[in-house]
């Protein structure tokens, strides 16, 4: 699992998975690197709306454009504390 600095940073406390933390909005880039280095791993992230949709939308679209077999769980927590404005 790749987490971010945002509101999902404590998700590893609730899931029994290996975990690395990415800078805010950069989880898809880190997931891409992990998947390229270890193609057999299941790689996913848990990100809030600001992290994935506000700051990290470019990274998310880049990973999707490359067709990387990774999964992003993005949730709308309705809090725009750092990023603000995304719908």
């Amino acid at each position: 699992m790749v987490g971010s600095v945002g509101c999902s940073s404590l998700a590893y406390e609730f899931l029994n998975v290996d975990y690395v933390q990415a800078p805010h909005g950069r989880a898809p880039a880190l997931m891409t690197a992990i998947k390229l280095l270890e193609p057999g791993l299941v790689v996913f992230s848990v990100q809030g709306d600001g992290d994935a949709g506000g700051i990290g939308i470019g990274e998310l679209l880049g990973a999707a454009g490359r067709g990387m077999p990774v999964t992003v769980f993005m949730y709308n927590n309705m809090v725009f504390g750092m990023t603000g404005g995304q719908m």
Side-chain angles (χ1 to χ4, degrees), residues 23-68:
H24 207 173
R26 305 303 179 249
L30 187 53
M31 288 191 304
T32 297
I34 293 169
K35 196 64 175 177
L36 289 173
L37 291 170
E38 295 287 343
L41 292 180
V42 174
V43 182
F44 68 96
S45 70
V46 177
Q47 298 176 261
D49 53 350
D51 183 42
I55 292 174
I57 193 68
E59 301 284 345
L60 188 58
L61 292 175
R66 287 188 295 275
M68 294 306 299

